[in-house]
Amino acid sequence: MSTTGATADPLAALGALPGVAESVESVRKAVDRVYGHRVMRRRSNAITSEAALRGSRGSAALSGADWALEEVRRRTDFSADAEARVVGAALRLTAEAGQLLSVWRQSPLRVLARLHLVAAASGGDEVGRPRQAGEPVDEPLVGLPLPDAAEVSGRLEGLADLIIAGSSAPALVTAAVVHGELLALRPFVSHNGLVARAAERIVLIGSGLDPKAVCPSEVGHAEAGRASYLAALDGYVSGTPEGMAAWIAHCGRAVELGVRESTAVCEALQRGAA
Protein backbone atom coordinates (compact mmCIF):
# COMPACT_ATOMS: atom_id res chain seq x y z
CA MET A 1 0.00 0.00 0.00
CA SER A 2 1.69 3.19 -1.14
CA THR A 3 1.17 6.25 1.03
CA THR A 4 2.86 8.70 -1.31
CA GLY A 5 0.56 11.60 -2.01
CA ALA A 6 -2.16 9.99 0.07
CA THR A 7 -4.66 11.71 2.32
CA ALA A 8 -3.78 12.48 5.93
CA ASP A 9 -5.60 9.29 6.95
CA PRO A 10 -5.36 6.83 4.05
CA LEU A 11 -6.74 3.98 6.15
CA ALA A 12 -9.90 5.96 6.79
CA ALA A 13 -10.14 6.62 3.05
CA LEU A 14 -10.15 2.86 2.48
CA GLY A 15 -12.98 2.58 4.97
CA ALA A 16 -15.04 4.79 2.68
CA LEU A 17 -14.69 2.48 -0.33
CA PRO A 18 -17.94 1.00 -1.68
CA GLY A 19 -18.99 -2.06 0.27
CA VAL A 20 -16.45 -1.68 3.06
CA ALA A 21 -18.86 -0.10 5.53
CA GLU A 22 -21.21 -3.03 5.02
CA SER A 23 -18.39 -5.49 5.74
CA VAL A 24 -17.41 -3.57 8.86
CA GLU A 25 -20.99 -3.54 10.15
CA SER A 26 -21.47 -7.25 9.42
CA VAL A 27 -18.30 -8.08 11.34
CA ARG A 28 -19.30 -5.89 14.26
CA LYS A 29 -22.69 -7.59 14.55
CA ALA A 30 -21.10 -11.04 14.38
CA VAL A 31 -18.55 -10.19 17.07
CA ASP A 32 -21.26 -8.72 19.30
CA ARG A 33 -23.29 -11.91 18.98
CA VAL A 34 -20.52 -14.21 20.18
CA TYR A 35 -19.55 -11.84 22.99
CA GLY A 36 -23.19 -11.86 24.08
CA HIS A 37 -23.34 -15.64 24.30
CA ARG A 38 -24.15 -16.84 27.80
CA VAL A 39 -21.13 -19.17 27.85
CA MET A 40 -18.83 -16.20 27.24
CA ARG A 41 -19.96 -14.71 30.54
CA ARG A 42 -18.81 -17.78 32.47
CA ARG A 43 -16.11 -19.50 30.43
CA SER A 44 -14.49 -16.90 28.22
CA ASN A 45 -11.01 -18.17 29.07
CA ALA A 46 -11.89 -21.59 27.68
CA ILE A 47 -13.19 -20.02 24.48
CA THR A 48 -10.04 -17.91 24.16
CA SER A 49 -7.81 -20.97 24.55
CA GLU A 50 -9.76 -22.97 22.00
CA ALA A 51 -9.82 -20.06 19.55
CA ALA A 52 -6.03 -19.78 19.85
CA LEU A 53 -5.57 -23.45 19.04
CA ARG A 54 -7.95 -23.35 16.09
CA GLY A 55 -6.49 -20.11 14.80
CA SER A 56 -3.01 -21.61 14.89
CA ARG A 57 -4.21 -24.67 13.01
CA GLY A 58 -5.82 -22.46 10.35
CA SER A 59 -2.75 -20.31 9.86
CA ALA A 60 -0.52 -23.37 9.56
CA ALA A 61 -2.90 -24.88 6.99
CA LEU A 62 -2.53 -21.79 4.80
CA SER A 63 1.24 -22.21 5.02
CA GLY A 64 1.07 -25.80 3.81
CA ALA A 65 0.65 -27.80 7.03
CA ASP A 66 -3.03 -28.74 6.97
CA TRP A 67 -3.28 -30.92 10.05
CA ALA A 68 -6.46 -32.12 11.72
CA LEU A 69 -7.30 -30.14 14.83
CA GLU A 70 -6.97 -33.17 17.08
CA GLU A 71 -3.50 -33.85 15.71
CA VAL A 72 -2.44 -30.31 16.64
CA ARG A 73 -4.03 -30.76 20.05
CA ARG A 74 -2.29 -34.02 20.92
CA ARG A 75 1.20 -33.39 19.53
CA THR A 76 4.02 -32.22 21.76
CA ASP A 77 6.94 -32.48 19.34
CA PHE A 78 6.91 -29.95 16.53
CA SER A 79 10.41 -30.47 15.22
CA ALA A 80 10.10 -33.78 13.40
CA ASP A 81 9.68 -32.45 9.85
CA ALA A 82 8.88 -29.33 7.83
CA GLU A 83 5.11 -29.48 8.40
CA ALA A 84 5.55 -30.01 12.12
CA ARG A 85 7.84 -26.98 12.28
CA VAL A 86 5.21 -24.85 10.53
CA VAL A 87 2.54 -25.93 13.02
CA GLY A 88 4.91 -25.26 15.90
CA ALA A 89 5.68 -21.80 14.53
CA ALA A 90 1.96 -21.00 14.23
CA LEU A 91 1.34 -22.08 17.82
CA ARG A 92 4.25 -19.99 19.12
CA LEU A 93 3.10 -16.93 17.20
CA THR A 94 -0.43 -17.15 18.55
CA ALA A 95 0.91 -17.36 22.09
CA GLU A 96 3.35 -14.50 21.50
CA ALA A 97 0.82 -12.16 19.89
CA GLY A 98 -0.95 -11.55 23.18
CA GLN A 99 2.31 -10.43 24.77
CA LEU A 100 2.96 -7.75 22.15
CA LEU A 101 -0.27 -5.78 22.18
CA SER A 102 1.09 -2.89 24.24
CA VAL A 103 4.15 -2.53 22.01
CA TRP A 104 2.36 -2.57 18.65
CA ARG A 105 1.09 1.02 18.57
CA GLN A 106 4.47 2.46 19.61
CA SER A 107 6.81 0.20 17.64
CA PRO A 108 5.15 -2.03 15.05
CA LEU A 109 8.46 -2.82 13.33
CA ARG A 110 9.87 -4.10 16.60
CA VAL A 111 6.82 -6.34 16.97
CA LEU A 112 7.16 -7.70 13.45
CA ALA A 113 10.83 -8.48 14.05
CA ARG A 114 9.91 -10.28 17.26
CA LEU A 115 7.20 -12.28 15.48
CA HIS A 116 9.67 -13.45 12.87
CA LEU A 117 12.20 -14.38 15.54
CA VAL A 118 9.56 -16.44 17.35
CA ALA A 119 8.37 -18.12 14.16
CA ALA A 120 11.84 -18.99 12.91
CA ALA A 121 13.08 -20.20 16.29
CA SER A 122 16.67 -20.10 15.10
CA GLY A 123 19.68 -17.89 15.64
CA GLY A 124 20.62 -17.11 12.05
CA ASP A 125 21.75 -13.60 11.18
CA GLU A 126 18.80 -13.22 8.80
CA VAL A 127 16.22 -13.87 11.54
CA GLY A 128 14.30 -11.04 13.18
CA ARG A 129 15.05 -8.35 10.60
CA PRO A 130 13.79 -7.41 7.12
CA ARG A 131 15.58 -9.23 4.32
CA GLN A 132 18.52 -7.57 2.60
CA ALA A 133 19.32 -7.27 -1.09
CA GLY A 134 19.98 -10.65 -2.66
CA GLU A 135 18.56 -12.73 0.16
CA PRO A 136 16.09 -15.38 -1.04
CA VAL A 137 12.59 -15.73 0.39
CA ASP A 138 11.11 -19.09 1.30
CA GLU A 139 7.39 -18.45 0.75
CA PRO A 140 6.38 -20.91 -2.00
CA LEU A 141 2.62 -20.57 -1.52
CA VAL A 142 2.58 -16.87 -2.46
CA GLY A 143 3.65 -16.55 -6.08
CA LEU A 144 3.37 -12.78 -6.50
CA PRO A 145 6.35 -10.75 -7.78
CA LEU A 146 8.73 -10.09 -4.93
CA PRO A 147 9.48 -6.43 -4.10
CA ASP A 148 13.17 -5.65 -3.71
CA ALA A 149 14.74 -4.92 -0.34
CA ALA A 150 14.69 -1.16 -0.82
CA GLU A 151 10.96 -1.13 -1.58
CA VAL A 152 10.32 -3.40 1.37
CA SER A 153 12.15 -1.04 3.70
CA GLY A 154 10.28 2.03 2.47
CA ARG A 155 6.87 0.43 2.62
CA LEU A 156 7.46 -1.05 6.05
CA GLU A 157 8.38 2.39 7.34
CA GLY A 158 5.24 3.79 5.75
CA LEU A 159 3.09 1.10 7.33
CA ALA A 160 4.69 1.72 10.71
CA ASP A 161 4.06 5.46 10.39
CA LEU A 162 0.37 4.79 9.74
CA ILE A 163 0.06 2.58 12.80
CA ILE A 164 1.91 4.98 15.09
CA ALA A 165 -0.05 8.00 13.83
CA GLY A 166 -3.35 6.25 14.49
CA SER A 167 -6.43 6.30 12.34
CA SER A 168 -10.16 6.71 12.52
CA ALA A 169 -10.50 3.67 10.26
CA PRO A 170 -12.37 0.64 11.60
CA ALA A 171 -10.23 -2.11 13.06
CA LEU A 172 -11.14 -4.45 10.21
CA VAL A 173 -9.67 -2.04 7.65
CA THR A 174 -6.42 -1.58 9.56
CA ALA A 175 -6.07 -5.32 10.17
CA ALA A 176 -6.69 -6.10 6.51
CA VAL A 177 -4.11 -3.57 5.34
CA VAL A 178 -1.46 -4.83 7.77
CA HIS A 179 -2.13 -8.41 6.71
CA GLY A 180 -2.18 -7.62 2.98
CA GLU A 181 0.89 -5.42 3.05
CA LEU A 182 3.00 -8.01 4.83
CA LEU A 183 1.93 -10.74 2.43
CA ALA A 184 2.62 -8.51 -0.57
CA LEU A 185 6.05 -7.47 0.72
CA ARG A 186 7.18 -10.75 2.28
CA PRO A 187 9.70 -8.71 4.26
CA PHE A 188 11.43 -11.66 5.93
CA VAL A 189 13.33 -14.58 4.47
CA SER A 190 10.70 -17.02 5.77
CA HIS A 191 7.40 -17.40 7.64
CA ASN A 192 5.84 -14.27 6.14
CA GLY A 193 2.35 -15.71 5.89
CA LEU A 194 2.37 -16.81 9.52
CA VAL A 195 3.70 -13.41 10.61
CA ALA A 196 1.12 -11.53 8.53
CA ARG A 197 -1.76 -13.44 10.06
CA ALA A 198 -0.35 -13.00 13.57
CA ALA A 199 -0.11 -9.25 12.95
CA GLU A 200 -3.72 -9.19 11.79
CA ARG A 201 -4.63 -10.94 15.05
CA ILE A 202 -2.76 -8.30 17.06
CA VAL A 203 -4.67 -5.48 15.36
CA LEU A 204 -8.07 -7.11 15.85
CA ILE A 205 -7.40 -7.75 19.54
CA GLY A 206 -5.55 -4.54 20.35
CA SER A 207 -8.14 -2.35 18.63
CA GLY A 208 -10.83 -3.54 20.99
CA LEU A 209 -12.85 -5.28 18.30
CA ASP A 210 -11.95 -8.69 19.75
CA PRO A 211 -10.34 -7.98 23.13
CA LYS A 212 -10.67 -11.55 24.40
CA ALA A 213 -9.27 -13.08 21.21
CA VAL A 214 -12.26 -15.31 20.51
CA CYS A 215 -12.74 -14.47 16.82
CA PRO A 216 -9.88 -16.29 15.05
CA SER A 217 -9.72 -14.87 11.54
CA GLU A 218 -7.09 -17.49 10.66
CA VAL A 219 -9.85 -20.11 10.89
CA GLY A 220 -11.90 -18.17 8.37
CA HIS A 221 -9.03 -17.63 5.97
CA ALA A 222 -8.31 -21.36 6.00
CA GLU A 223 -11.97 -22.31 5.64
CA ALA A 224 -12.39 -20.03 2.63
CA GLY A 225 -9.47 -21.90 1.06
CA ARG A 226 -6.05 -21.00 -0.22
CA ALA A 227 -7.27 -20.23 -3.75
CA SER A 228 -9.79 -17.68 -2.46
CA TYR A 229 -7.19 -16.23 -0.10
CA LEU A 230 -4.64 -15.70 -2.86
CA ALA A 231 -7.25 -14.34 -5.29
CA ALA A 232 -8.28 -11.74 -2.72
CA LEU A 233 -4.63 -10.91 -2.12
CA ASP A 234 -4.27 -10.25 -5.86
CA GLY A 235 -6.93 -7.59 -5.41
CA TYR A 236 -4.97 -5.96 -2.62
CA VAL A 237 -1.77 -5.97 -4.63
CA SER A 238 -3.56 -4.41 -7.62
CA GLY A 239 -4.12 -1.28 -5.53
CA THR A 240 -7.42 -0.57 -7.27
CA PRO A 241 -10.39 0.55 -5.16
CA GLU A 242 -12.28 -2.58 -6.20
CA GLY A 243 -9.36 -4.84 -5.36
CA MET A 244 -8.73 -3.22 -1.99
CA ALA A 245 -12.41 -3.38 -1.08
CA ALA A 246 -12.53 -7.05 -2.08
CA TRP A 247 -9.53 -7.85 0.14
CA ILE A 248 -11.07 -6.03 3.11
CA ALA A 249 -14.35 -7.87 2.55
CA HIS A 250 -12.46 -11.16 2.38
CA CYS A 251 -10.78 -10.40 5.71
CA GLY A 252 -14.15 -9.46 7.17
CA ARG A 253 -15.66 -12.74 6.08
CA ALA A 254 -12.70 -14.54 7.66
CA VAL A 255 -13.47 -12.89 11.01
CA GLU A 256 -17.12 -13.86 10.69
CA LEU A 257 -16.17 -17.48 10.01
CA GLY A 258 -13.91 -17.35 13.05
CA VAL A 259 -16.88 -16.07 15.07
CA ARG A 260 -18.96 -18.96 13.78
CA GLU A 261 -16.28 -21.40 14.93
CA SER A 262 -16.17 -19.95 18.44
CA THR A 263 -19.96 -19.81 18.61
CA ALA A 264 -20.00 -23.54 17.88
CA VAL A 265 -17.52 -24.06 20.73
CA CYS A 266 -19.80 -22.03 23.02
CA GLU A 267 -22.77 -24.16 22.01
CA ALA A 268 -20.84 -27.37 22.63
CA LEU A 269 -19.78 -26.19 26.09
CA GLN A 270 -23.34 -25.15 26.85
CA ARG A 271 -24.68 -28.58 25.88
CA GLY A 272 -22.03 -30.23 28.03
CA ALA A 273 -23.07 -28.14 31.02
CA ALA A 274 -26.79 -28.80 30.55
Side-chain angles (χ1 to χ4, degrees):
M1 176 187 177
S2 173
T3 59
T4 303
T7 63
D9 191 349
L11 294 176
L14 292 177
L17 291 174
V20 170
E22 290 81 357
S23 294
V24 169
E25 181 62 18
S26 182
V27 166
R28 168 53 68 188
K29 287 180 178 178
V31 172
D32 285 348
R33 283 195 298 272
V34 73
Y35 271 81
H37 197 286
R38 61 186 297 182
V39 170
M40 280 292 295
R41 293 194 290 272
R42 296 179 287 110
R43 301 191 63 183
S44 64
N45 288 343
I47 307 302
T48 296
S49 296
E50 189 65 18
L53 184 71
R54 295 178 184 224
S56 298
R57 193 218 72 83
S59 190
L62 286 168
S63 286
D66 193 359
W67 287 14
L69 180 63
E70 291 311 312
E71 177 70 5
V72 179
R73 196 189 303 280
R74 74 170 187 83
R75 286 283 287 267
T76 57
D77 178 14
F78 295 98
S79 61
D81 53 42
E83 284 196 5
R85 288 191 290 274
V86 168
V87 176
L91 289 165
R92 291 192 301 273
L93 282 174
T94 299
E96 187 73 12
Q99 309 302 313
L100 298 172
L101 298 173
S102 63
V103 184
W104 175 255
R105 284 293 301 273
Q106 286 74 43
S107 186
L109 296 184
R110 178 180 161 197
V111 169
L112 294 175
R114 175 62 184 169
L115 291 174
H116 186 246
L117 188 68
V118 168
S122 68
D125 180 61
E126 74 283 0
V127 173
R129 60 155 174 79
R131 55 186 168 85
Q132 297 175 359
E135 289 183 328
V137 174
D138 180 15
E139 202 71 44
L141 301 177
V142 179
L144 294 167
L146 192 66
D148 64 30
E151 181 179 352
V152 168
S153 178
R155 286 173 62 175
L156 279 179
E157 290 290 346
L159 181 64
D161 288 346
L162 289 177
I163 300 302
I164 293 168
S167 172
S168 62
L172 172 63
V173 173
T174 303
V177 167
V178 168
H179 185 169
E181 191 72 353
L182 293 174
L183 275 182
L185 292 176
R186 282 146 290 161
F188 302 107
V189 297
S190 64
H191 300 91
N192 290 288
L194 293 174
V195 168
R197 291 183 288 275
E200 180 184 54
R201 168 181 282 268
I202 287 172
V203 175
L204 292 172
I205 298 169
S207 67
L209 177 64
D210 180 24
K212 294 185 178 181
V214 297
C215 307
S217 59
E218 306 97 324
V219 168
H221 287 302
E223 185 173 335
R226 193 179 300 151
S228 176
Y229 183 64
L230 294 177
L233 178 61
D234 284 343
Y236 177 86
V237 172
S238 76
T240 65
E242 297 80 10
M244 297 292 285
W247 170 250
I248 294 167
H250 178 88
C251 291
R253 180 60 177 156
V255 175
E256 292 184 61
L257 290 171
V259 167
R260 188 177 71 178
E261 186 91 351
S262 287
T263 300
V265 173
C266 287
E267 294 294 332
L269 288 174
Q270 184 168 283
R271 288 193 298 271

